[in-house]
Amino acid sequence: MNNTSKWSDNFQHDFEAKVKIRMMMVVLALCVVNFLTIKFFWYDIVWWFDMPMHFFGGFFIGLLGFYINSRKEGSELYDEKKMLKFVLFFTLAIGFG
């Protein structure tokens, strides 16, 4: 194994760890806010409150698509157009599904 491959493997591992942490933070924040929202009836009191909740739910789905695409064998992290297309398609498929 040469140094470039070793660096690339370390970068991939660090990148995946950061994406996992961000996904967990978004899900935890959504769970806490949703719990408080239901407990204090914010969905009934604040008519627009479901909009940011849907936005952050979609953000989580986008991160999940990003993570899944980065885990694929032979995935190109640096091919931004392919990554963006996959994440958008994945998020739209979940949203409309």
Side-chain angles (χ1 to χ4, degrees):
M1 179 186 312
N2 62 20
N3 284 340
T4 306
S5 178
K6 188 175 182 181
W7 179 85
S8 178
D9 291 344
N10 287 339
F11 174 78
Q12 181 78 14
H13 177 71
D14 292 344
F15 175 77
E16 290 173 6
K18 287 179 183 179
V19 171
K20 282 183 194 176
I21 290 170
R22 283 181 175 77
M23 286 182 358
M24 287 187 283
M25 288 171 36
V26 169
V27 168
L28 182 63
L30 278 171
C31 289
V32 169
V33 171
N34 192 50
F35 173 78
L36 294 172
T37 300
I38 291 171
K39 182 174 175 142
F40 296 113
F41 305 101
W42 292 342
Y43 286 129
D44 297 328
I45 296 170
V46 183
W47 65 268
W48 51 264
F49 200 78
D50 66 329
M51 291 179 207
M53 294 297 285
H54 280 95
F55 173 80
F56 286 112
F59 183 72
F60 166 72
I61 296 298
L63 279 175
L64 183 63
F66 192 76
Y67 176 73
I68 289 171
N69 193 43
S70 70
R71 294 284 299 172
K72 287 190 322 189
E73 191 67 33
S75 114
E76 293 291 328
L77 285 176
Y78 301 108
D79 191 356
E80 294 168 356
K81 286 185 180 182
K82 284 184 182 178
M83 179 68 80
L84 182 62
K85 285 179 186 177
F86 179 83
V87 170
L88 285 175
F89 177 76
F90 182 81
T91 305
L92 287 173
I94 297 293
F96 287 123

